């Protein structure tokens, strides 16, 4: 039996029964509903021209988040609300303050990217609830939107201006009332053309579905699987969607570990981890992809994907995190680095899936940092992603965990480098000797992002930087070694940062 896709759009509940399970929300908007304000640019979640806002009912409240409609599949809309740029115009014909600010500040030229900017700004407008955004908040909200003609200054001016115009209230309670009847308590299956899209609601339903369909494609945030459809034209076969399983969206703390369900979005996962590692991970949080991608993608999906350039794995491995796997046979946990056997090869049994990540909380004597090198600050793939964690006992290194992304076929620890550090004093001579060992741990490739020689030299220099920031004698503050530290902090005053204000 096939259930229809039910979602709220433009003041009404809509049902869809005949769209292909891999049709994207963008395709449905433009080709079926003929709402062409939302544009298609890259079709891979990079340019932001397709940005929409999705409303999800969580514990009786509506959570509104900007996402890329070009890589989100239509069945994932079931039980949710969709907002496109057509929704913003008010009934009296007046522009929304976000749109009016773009007009007044000359934030649009060719206009192609403008609807995406408007929707990203509207998502921030709702979140700010009338409060004036900071420059850092604006940069973060627009990190997934590209403009090639106007330039960002007038768009940023519009972001500052929109909160100064007469406000427009958004009735979340009324939307929650519309969405409540659309919520399902049991698994639903949407079938078209012999392809099934399964949407379990509980962990037990997922376990049963995975056991019955071990080769089905698991779909969470669609930030990678969506590209299999739009760029690789792959046939996904049956799909099991994880986005409605509340048990996978839980964050808890016990026994010195932070447990993060595999379905927790990247934005929420990084927020939770940064409550404990603010100085060490806030920069990585802001630089991981873009806000719309972090709103959709999940930490569990990033880990399960296992890309050698996935930015989450190095710091998770350096901290000693565990991955929790689940199947009909039960639950098992292993060190995260043990999950990866080779390029796109993982130690997963048939019917098994990633259930959660266990991240150690800060411990006494442990010094930890993570770094990302890329050609752009925002929304760029790492050339080198590094994470370092050492534990000192007295003056000596008792434990070292070093992991890199972008240096091998998998996220990989630097075993020889770690061994060279353990038992040695944490000083420049020990670090210099360990830097040389990185050439034994890695033989990085050359590609469009960086050469092999650059990667190796950069990896060595990052280890030296880690020592500069964590040495006992006059450690350097982040603002002294990070050209982007002012931006990441949300302040425009370098001196105030150094003063800690």
């Amino acid at each position: 039996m096939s259930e229809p896709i039910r979602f709220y759009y433009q003041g009404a509940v809509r049902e869809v029964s005949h769209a292909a399970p891999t049709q994207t929300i963008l395709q449905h908007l433009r080709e079926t509903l003929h709402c062409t304000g939302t544009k298609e640019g890259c079709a891979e979640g990079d340019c932001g021209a397709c940005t929409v806002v999705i409303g999800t009912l969580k514990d009786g409240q509506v959570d509104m988040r900007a996402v890329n409609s070009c890589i989100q599949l239509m069945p994932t809309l079931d039980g949710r609300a969709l907002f496109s740029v057509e929704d913003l115009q008010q009934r009296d014909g007046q522009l929304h303050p976000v749109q009016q600010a773009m007009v007044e500040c000359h934030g649009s030229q060719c206009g192609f990217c403008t609807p995406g900017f408007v929707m990203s700004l509207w998502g921030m407008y709702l979140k700010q609830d009338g409060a004036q955004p900071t420059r850092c908040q604006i940069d973060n909200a627009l990190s997934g939107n590209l403009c090639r003609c106007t330039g960002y200054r007038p768009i940023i001016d519009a972001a500052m201006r929109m909160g100064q115009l007469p406000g427009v209230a958004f009735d979340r309670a009324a939307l929650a009332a519309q969405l409540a009847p659309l919520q399902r308590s049991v698994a639903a299956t949407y079938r078209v053309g012999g392809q099934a899209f399964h949407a379990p609601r509980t962990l037990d339903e997922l376990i049963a579905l995975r056991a019955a369909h071990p080769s089905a494609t698991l779909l969470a945030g669609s930030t990678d699987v969506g590209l299999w459809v739009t760029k690789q034209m792959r046939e996904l076969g049956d799909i099991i969607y994880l986005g409605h399983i509340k048990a996978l969206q839980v964050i808890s703390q016990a026994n010195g570990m932070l447990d993060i369900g595999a379905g927790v979005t990247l934005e929420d996962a990084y927020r939770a981890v940064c409550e404990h590692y603010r100085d060490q991970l806030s920069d990585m949080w802001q630089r991981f992809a873009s806000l719309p991608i972090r709103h959709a993608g999940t930490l569990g999906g990033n880990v399960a994907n296992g890309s050698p350039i996935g930015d989450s794995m190095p710091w998770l491995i350096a901290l000693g995190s565990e991955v929790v796997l689940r199947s009909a046979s039960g639950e098992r946990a292993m060190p995260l680095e043990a999950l990866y056997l080779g390029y796109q090869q993982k130690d997963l049994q048939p019917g098994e899936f990633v259930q959660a990540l266990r991240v150690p909380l800060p411990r006494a004597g442990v010094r930890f940092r993570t770094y990302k090198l890329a050609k752009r600050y925002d929304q760029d793939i790492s050339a080198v992603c590094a994470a370092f964690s050492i534990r000192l006992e007295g003056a000596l290194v008792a434990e070292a965990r070093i992991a890199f992304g972008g240096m091998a076929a998998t996220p990989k620890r630097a075993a020889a480098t770690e061994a060279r550090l353990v038992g040695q004093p944490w000083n420049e001579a020990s670090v210099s000797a360990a830097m040389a060992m990185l050439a034994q741990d890695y033989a990085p490739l050359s590609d469009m992002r960086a050469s092999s020689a650059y990667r190796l030299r950069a990896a060595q220099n990052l280890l030296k930087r880690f020592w500069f920031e964590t040495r006992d004698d006059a450690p350097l503050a982040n603002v002294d070694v990070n050209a982007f530290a002012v931006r990441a902090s949300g302040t425009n005053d370098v001196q105030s940062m150094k003063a800690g204000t």
Side-chain angles (χ1 to χ4, degrees):
M1 181 177 178
S2 178
E3 297 283 347
I5 303 165
R6 302 179 301 174
F7 65 100
Y8 179 88
Y9 181 59
Q10 292 192 345
V13 174
R14 299 171 182 260
E15 288 195 1
V16 174
S17 299
H18 302 294
T22 53
Q23 183 187 63
T24 67
I25 293 174
L26 176 63
Q27 290 169 334
H28 190 77
L29 278 171
R30 294 183 60 84
E31 299 169 13
T32 304
L33 300 180
H34 305 294
C35 294
T36 55
T38 308
K39 306 303 182 187
E40 178 175 355
C42 65
E44 60 185 41
D46 277 341
C47 74
C50 70
T51 304
V52 297
V53 172
I54 302 294
T56 302
L57 191 62
K58 295 182 177 180
D59 300 322
Q61 304 294 319
V62 179
D63 180 45
M64 302 284 283
R65 300 200 175 195
V67 301
N68 302 110
S69 64
C70 68
I71 53 175
Q72 294 300 314
L73 307 186
M74 269 301 295
T76 66
L77 266 185
D78 188 57
R80 292 173 171 146
L82 170 65
F83 294 90
S84 65
V85 70
E86 286 87 355
D87 287 282
L88 266 61
Q89 188 168 354
Q90 300 174 55
R91 292 179 181 177
D92 57 4
Q94 298 296 310
L95 296 177
H96 188 277
V98 176
Q99 297 166 311
Q100 185 63 39
M102 289 286 281
V103 172
E104 293 182 7
C105 297
H106 309 286
S108 176
Q109 188 166 326
C110 84
F112 186 86
C113 70
T114 306
F117 273 97
V118 166
M119 293 308 292
S120 288
L121 289 175
W122 185 59
M124 183 176 66
Y125 185 90
L126 295 175
K127 185 177 180 180
Q128 292 298 115
D129 197 23
Q132 187 71 11
T134 66
R135 174 60 188 271
C136 185
Q137 289 169 330
I138 293 169
D139 289 348
N140 193 38
L142 298 182
S143 61
N145 295 86
L146 301 181
C147 176
R148 297 305 188 197
C149 35
T150 304
Y152 287 91
R153 185 196 55 76
I155 298 172
I156 291 168
D157 290 345
M160 300 297 292
R161 171 67 175 150
M162 65 186 188
Q164 301 166 5
L165 297 172
V168 174
F170 182 78
D171 195 340
R172 293 175 183 264
L175 180 58
Q178 291 282 353
L179 294 180
L182 304 183
Q183 306 309 300
R184 305 179 192 270
S185 59
V186 296
T189 297
Y190 175 76
R191 297 179 186 273
V192 171
Q195 185 179 21
F197 186 100
H198 303 284
R201 263 56 183 179
T202 68
L203 201 56
D204 287 341
E205 290 175 344
L206 171 58
I207 292 169
L209 279 167
R210 192 57 172 158
H213 307 281
S215 61
T217 299
L218 293 181
L219 178 70
S222 198
T223 54
D224 188 51
V225 173
L227 274 67
W228 298 359
V229 175
T230 63
K231 294 300 181 180
Q232 299 178 14
M233 311 302 173
R234 287 168 57 174
E235 297 292 337
L236 300 186
D238 289 346
I239 299 169
I240 301 176
Y241 178 54
L242 312 180
H244 292 300
I245 303 174
K246 292 183 179 180
L248 294 182
Q249 299 169 6
V250 175
I251 301 175
S252 60
Q253 183 175 325
N255 301 319
M257 306 286 278
L258 188 67
D259 283 19
I260 303 174
V264 174
T265 65
L266 286 160
E267 182 70 2
D268 292 342
Y270 269 88
R271 179 181 293 108
V273 176
C274 283
E275 289 181 3
H276 304 277
Y277 295 101
R278 182 180 64 86
D279 294 338
Q280 299 93 334
L281 275 175
S282 291
D283 187 64
M284 182 64 73
W285 177 13
Q286 184 175 356
R287 297 188 64 194
F288 191 111
S290 65
L291 186 60
I293 292 295
R294 296 197 303 272
H295 277 166
T298 64
L299 185 62
N302 197 228
V303 166
N305 178 280
S307 169
I309 52 174
D311 287 340
S312 296
M313 281 77 82
W315 63 262
L316 284 168
I317 291 171
L319 286 175
S321 301
E322 295 179 343
V323 58
V324 181
L325 307 177
R326 185 69 180 271
S327 70
S329 300
E331 177 184 303
R332 67 182 177 120
M334 67 171 71
L336 177 55
E337 62 265 33
L339 178 65
Y340 305 115
L341 305 178
Y343 181 71
Q344 296 296 301
Q345 298 177 344
K346 293 169 285 291
D347 184 14
L348 285 172
Q349 304 301 317
E352 202 166 39
F353 58 88
V354 175
Q355 177 177 295
L357 282 304
R358 291 176 179 159
V359 183
L361 296 174
R363 295 176 293 156
V366 173
R367 303 178 187 189
F368 165 65
R369 295 288 190 280
T370 185
Y371 308 103
K372 173 172 179 169
L373 298 182
K375 292 182 177 180
R376 298 191 309 269
Y377 182 85
D378 288 311
Q379 198 182 0
D380 200 6
I381 295 173
S382 295
V384 177
C385 184
F388 306 96
S389 176
I390 63 165
R391 182 173 60 83
L392 299 182
E393 290 183 358
L396 301 182
V397 177
E399 180 184 3
R401 297 182 64 89
I402 298 172
F404 281 91
M407 296 283 285
T410 66
K412 180 186 172 186
R413 287 181 66 178
T417 307
E418 293 174 354
R420 184 63 182 81
L421 284 171
V422 173
Q424 301 300 311
W426 186 232
N427 59 29
E428 188 169 7
S430 298
V431 171
S432 295
M435 289 167 61
M437 302 303 293
L438 284 169
Q440 295 186 24
D441 285 314
Y442 302 102
L445 55 78
S446 294
D447 59 18
M448 66 182 67
R449 289 183 288 276
S451 68
S452 174
Y454 171 86
R455 283 186 162 101
L456 183 57
R457 176 62 64 85
Q460 292 170 334
N461 288 342
L462 287 173
L463 177 55
K464 187 69 167 286
R465 174 177 167 178
F466 173 57
W467 175 75
F468 275 124
E469 293 184 17
T470 59
R471 63 188 181 183
D472 291 320
D473 180 24
L476 295 178
N478 187 44
V479 69
D480 294 318
V481 291
N482 184 351
F484 298 103
V486 174
R487 178 181 177 182
S489 73
T491 180
N492 295 316
D493 187 348
V494 176
Q495 295 305 316
S496 69
M497 285 191 65
K498 290 184 176 181
T501 59

